[in-house]
Amino acid sequence: MKTKINSYRDLIAWQKAMDLVEKVYHLVHDFPANEIYTLSSQLKRSAISVPSNIAEGGSKKSIKDFIKFLNISYGSLAELETQILIAERVKFISKEKSEMILQYSEEVAKIISGLISSLKLKVESDNTLSTKLSLLNSNN
């Protein structure tokens, strides 16, 4: 049974990305005070960018535009993962916390990747149908 998607908020990718934002906010809470405008801020911005771009893409009329914004979200995840590894290297977070966030980020990345693949198949299918219809119309 397929669930009807009425809004970007119905997408599991968006829901999981929102959970990731929450996890990042909790993670940076214990960073040193002098990091509030540097790595802490970057981590929050990267995390926020993931569901924000899913939402923006999901509100577009074109599937190709949606895919473009999903790719931006995917890129923001790569930024976030890099920043998590930096935070671990400079000892702002433990290896365990780093691995926990990275594992969750990977889960979000897989969901976004699956959504991109699914939408690309739909675009290809629609293009094939359009091509067939135009060929049929030109033969008449």
Side-chain angles (χ1 to χ4, degrees), residues 84-99:
I84 292 294
L85 291 169
I86 291 168
E88 179 189 332
R89 279 183 164 204
V90 298
K91 309 283 190 252
F92 290 166
I93 58 173
S94 67
K95 185 165 185 64
E96 294 78 26
K97 285 184 179 181
S98 171
E99 287 175 357

Side-chain angles (χ1 to χ4, degrees), residues 22-39:
E22 190 175 348
K23 290 176 186 307
V24 167
Y25 266 76
H26 289 297
L27 183 75
V28 302
H29 185 264
D30 294 328
F31 274 29
N34 65 332
E35 280 299 313
I36 196 164
Y37 297 112
T38 51
L39 187 56

